[in-house]
């Protein structure tokens, strides 16, 4: 991965921002970050993409994001699933990202909507959370994550001023994530990650 400037705090989500940034398509002009929170990933994307929009249904998070937003950034208070009311235009974005967001909604609906928002040839990058279980391999990976996560939390989160965000326990297992993603997004790549995360990457045909 490229060495990107860090955010002013660390957690299991910001740890994977470089994974997202490494997958920005060449020549991308417009990006959308779903569930942008206080805009940390939007600000980092804006260093490489001319126009970056963050969308979040929390008015407080959008207010914070706007206070810290820089050139080329904009923020929308809306539910991205609301096709009529969100103000987001289908087929517009060269990159759509979602980090620790899609477990708050029905996964198939969230992936379908994200795909609609992509421009032809655009790329979707998801870093998501899922429920342990579904296969012995997933259980084993989850157990192997415990020690590295405990060490990282102790060392890297010390003194962190990460903002409080809404928390929802995931109900979809990793196995179901794989099945759903491959059904909704044929040809997508899926990878299990440390810190109880997974990554999905998909290029929209066209």
């Amino acid at each position: 991965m490229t060495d990107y400037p860090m955010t002013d705090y660390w957690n299991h989500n910001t740890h994977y921002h470089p994974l997202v940034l490494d997958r920005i398509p060449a020549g991308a002009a417009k990006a959308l970050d779903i569930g942008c929170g206080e805009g940390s990933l939007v600000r980092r994307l804006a260093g490489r993409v001319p126009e970056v929009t963050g969308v979040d249904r929390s008015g407080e998070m959008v207010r914070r994001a706007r206070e810290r937003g820089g050139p080329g950034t904009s923020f929308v208070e809306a539910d991205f699933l609301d096709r009529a009311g969100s103000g987001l235009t289908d087929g517009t974005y060269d990159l759509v990202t979602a980090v620790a967001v899609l477990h708050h909604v029905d996964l198939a609906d969230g992936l379908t909507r994200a795909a609609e928002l992509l421009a032809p040839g655009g790329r979707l990058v998801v870093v998501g959370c899922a429920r342990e279980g579904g296969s012995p391999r997933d259980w084993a990976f989850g157990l192997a994550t415990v020690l590295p996560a405990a060490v990282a939390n102790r060392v890297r989160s010390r003194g962190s001023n990460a903002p409080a965000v809404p928390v929802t326990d995931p109900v979809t297992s990793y196995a179901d994530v794989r099945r759903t993603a491959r059904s909704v997004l044929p040809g997508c790549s899926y990878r299990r990650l440390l810190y109880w995360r997974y990554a999905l990457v998909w290029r929209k045909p066209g």
Side-chain angles (χ1 to χ4, degrees), residues 16-46:
Y16 287 111
H17 283 183
L19 181 152
V20 176
L21 295 166
D22 277 345
R23 286 155 181 80
I24 297 173
K30 299 184 72 172
L32 173 70
D33 183 36
I34 294 171
C36 66
E38 50 74 58
S40 174
L41 181 55
V42 169
R43 293 190 295 274
R44 299 183 83 178
L45 287 168

Side-chain angles (χ1 to χ4, degrees), residues 79-90 108-109 112-114 116:
D79 182 345
F80 81 103
L81 292 174
D82 184 357
R83 289 172 175 82
S86 69
L88 304 174
T89 304
D90 290 3
D109 290 347
T112 298
R113 183 66 187 129
E116 291 172 349

Side-chain angles (χ1 to χ4, degrees), residues 150-173:
V151 172
N153 288 345
R154 183 175 183 84
V155 174
R156 302 191 70 178
S157 298
R158 186 177 297 151
S160 171
N161 61 342
V165 297
V167 176
T168 298
D169 290 331
V171 297
T172 305
S173 72

Side-chain angles (χ1 to χ4, degrees), residues 12 87 103 141:
H12 293 171
H103 66 288
F141 199 107

Side-chain angles (χ1 to χ4, degrees), residues 73-96:
T73 66
S74 61
F75 298 93
V76 178
E77 180 186 346
D79 182 345
F80 81 103
L81 292 174
D82 184 357
R83 289 172 175 82
S86 69
L88 304 174
T89 304
D90 290 3
T92 297
Y93 302 97
D94 303 303
L95 173 70
V96 173

